[in-house]
Amino acid sequence: MTRIDNNAVSVRGLVKHYGDTKALDGVDLDVREGTVMGVLGPNGAGKTTLVRILSTLLKPDAGEATVAGYDVLRQPRQLRRVIGLTGQYASVDEKLPGWENLYMIGRLLDLPRKDARARADELLERFSLTEAAKRPASTYSGGMRRRLDLAASMIGHPQVLYLDEPTTGLDPRTRNEVWAEVKAMVGDGVTVLLTTQYMEEAEQLASELTVVDRGKVIANGRVEELKAKVGGRTLRVRPVDPLQVRPLAEMIDELGITGLASTTVDAESGTLLVPILSDEQLTAVVGAVTARGITISSITTELPSLDEVFLSLTGHRASAPQDATPADDRQEVAV
Ligand SMILES: Nc1ncnc2c1ncn2[C@@H]1O[C@H](COP(=O)(O)OP(=O)(O)O)[C@@H](O)[C@H]1O
Ligand SMILES: [Mg+2]
């Protein structure tokens, strides 16, 4: 097939219904070669359904999709040869040692024994698992397991890699490890389609975003563009004396500036976050802080978080399951 664009993934009008549930309801999406596309959406948005169709594990009801130029319906075998997939749930065999897992997948991908062995060694080294190579995967920590998953998805030198919620349920430190690995893989030139419920994850890894909700694309574009589209900003104020943070928050809330959402205190960093919608509001808040005579060590404005972006695009918060929310995302305490 002749490629007329440089899109590694191209999706047009994709539909998949389960009875009354519209898992995908006409999705369009393009992922440029060598980039990371974040597909952001809450539970049930249709992310895994999309990944399964793009992996040829599931047939769409309507629409078209090509990956590396191969059509999901007409060229499934060629397509499977150029993709890698790390699912939402661990896909390795628990009973087998890490090395055996990788070797077996290599053999399933038709690598000669010698090459499968070499690839297993190379990837264990690459994902810092050499020392654990001979232990059953069941003895691995969550982070090691996820690294083994990533290694498994890289065996066939994929051109396009799907990462379906790669860090859901991981603790913040392990999540950072996984992010570092994904960044290194992107540095090697692989195209990534990453699904996530975490705004921070999309922001860290993706250059472009497709926001999905209930089977529909509700926004797409570069991460920065999407944030700017929403308009609001956050003013971050840090008093010299951390004990002044709460009184300052109360004072600003009492100002009663129209449309000003309530402030939040970030206790860990001793800062106050004030969502603002206009330059006038910004000026009023800064003026009030000054009038109160509180000494400020820093005051900055930030673009809204993707959480706020989602809220303003959909009218409701992305509903990540409570137990799976990384601890980092919970540090802001409502005043
Ligand atoms: N095999 C299935 N049978 C029936 N409903 C399904 C099936 N797979 C997914 N769904 C439904 O389709 C919707 C999208 O699911 P999914 O693609 O798994 O979302 P996500 O991965 O974004 O959480 C959900 O409402 C889900 O319950
Ligand atoms: Mg899913």
Side-chain angles (χ1 to χ4, degrees):
M1 178 184 273
T2 317
R3 303 286 298 281
I4 48 165
D5 52 38
N6 61 350
N7 287 328
V9 179
S10 195
V11 172
R12 289 291 172 273
L14 215 54
V15 172
K16 182 76 191 177
H17 291 182
Y18 292 104
D20 289 342
T21 306
K22 295 170 176 173
L24 295 178
D25 199 21
V27 165
D28 296 338
L29 180 113
D30 287 312
V31 189
R32 284 180 298 115
E33 246 166 47
T35 65
V36 182
M37 166 63 81
V39 176
L40 179 70
N43 255 339
K47 304 181 296 296
T48 298
T49 302
L50 175 66
V51 167
R52 287 174 62 82
I53 289 173
L54 293 177
S55 311
T56 75
L57 298 171
L58 191 66
K59 285 196 170 122
D61 296 339
E64 289 178 13
T66 60
V67 179
Y70 298 120
D71 188 283
V72 288
L73 290 174
R74 287 189 293 273
Q75 298 162 298
R77 261 181 302 136
Q78 292 98 315
L79 192 156
R80 282 198 286 270
R81 247 177 254 138
V82 298
I83 61 167
L85 169 64
T86 296
Q88 190 168 355
Y89 303 100
S91 52
V92 298
D93 186 332
E94 304 258 309
K95 291 187 288 291
L96 292 179
W99 190 90
E100 295 288 336
N101 264 294
L102 298 188
Y103 175 75
M104 197 184 66
I105 294 166
R107 293 290 289 150
L108 286 173
L109 291 172
D110 287 337
L111 291 183
R113 275 176 229 285
K114 187 162 146 287
D115 294 356
R117 246 180 255 131
R119 189 77 177 131
D121 289 341
E122 179 191 338
L123 285 167
L124 286 170
E125 180 74 40
R126 163 74 191 275
F127 289 92
S128 313
L129 289 168
T130 304
E131 282 178 14
K134 299 210 163 68
R135 272 166 38 203
S138 57
T139 67
Y140 287 16
S141 68
M144 290 166 77
R145 202 87 63 90
R146 211 58 68 101
R147 295 209 300 275
L148 185 61
D149 267 341
L150 287 175
S153 67
M154 293 299 281
I155 290 189
H157 296 282
Q159 290 175 43
V160 180
L161 183 61
Y162 308 130
L163 301 176
D164 193 12
E165 298 198 24
T167 67
T168 294
L170 295 186
D171 62 80
R173 192 169 55 91
T174 312
R175 192 181 46 164
N176 282 323
E177 275 174 38
V178 172
W179 287 350
E181 295 295 353
V182 173
K183 284 176 186 169
M185 294 192 294
V186 176
D188 290 349
V190 63
T191 304
V192 177
L193 188 140
L194 163 96
T195 78
T196 185
Q197 299 187 32
Y198 303 134
M199 322 306 159
E200 198 192 345
E201 179 157 83
E203 208 168 3
Q204 279 279 330
L205 299 177
S207 49
E208 293 189 44
L209 266 187
T210 300
V211 185
V212 289
D213 192 36
R214 294 166 197 163
K216 281 194 157 69
V217 173
I218 56 162
N220 68 303
R222 290 193 307 109
V223 175
E224 291 304 313
E225 271 169 18
L226 273 184
K227 285 167 135 194
K229 206 172 178 176
V230 175
R233 280 172 293 172
T234 300
L235 182 67
R236 186 181 280 270
V237 185
R238 188 196 312 264
V240 171
D241 178 2
L243 290 177
Q244 295 282 8
V245 174
R246 280 174 197 282
L248 198 56
E250 281 161 24
M251 192 198 78
I252 290 171
D253 286 338
E254 280 162 15
L255 285 176
I257 299 171
T258 323
L260 187 72
S262 62
T263 56
T264 52
V265 167
D266 180 350
E268 208 165 309
S269 64
T271 60
L272 176 65
L273 300 167
V274 191
I276 46 172
L277 293 170
S278 67
D279 292 343
E280 287 71 27
Q281 288 189 353
L282 172 65
T283 310
V285 171
V286 173
V289 171
T290 317
R292 175 89 178 223
I294 293 172
T295 315
I296 303 296
S297 66
S298 79
I299 185 160
T300 52
T301 57
E302 296 168 2
L303 288 169
S305 72
L306 288 173
D307 209 5
E308 290 158 336
V309 170
F310 199 92
L311 181 62
S312 70
L313 291 171
T314 62
H316 61 85
R317 288 207 175 274
S319 48
Q322 276 303 309
D323 58 346
T325 306
D328 272 2
D329 290 349
R330 296 197 212 122
Q331 70 193 16
E332 289 176 13
V333 184
V335 175

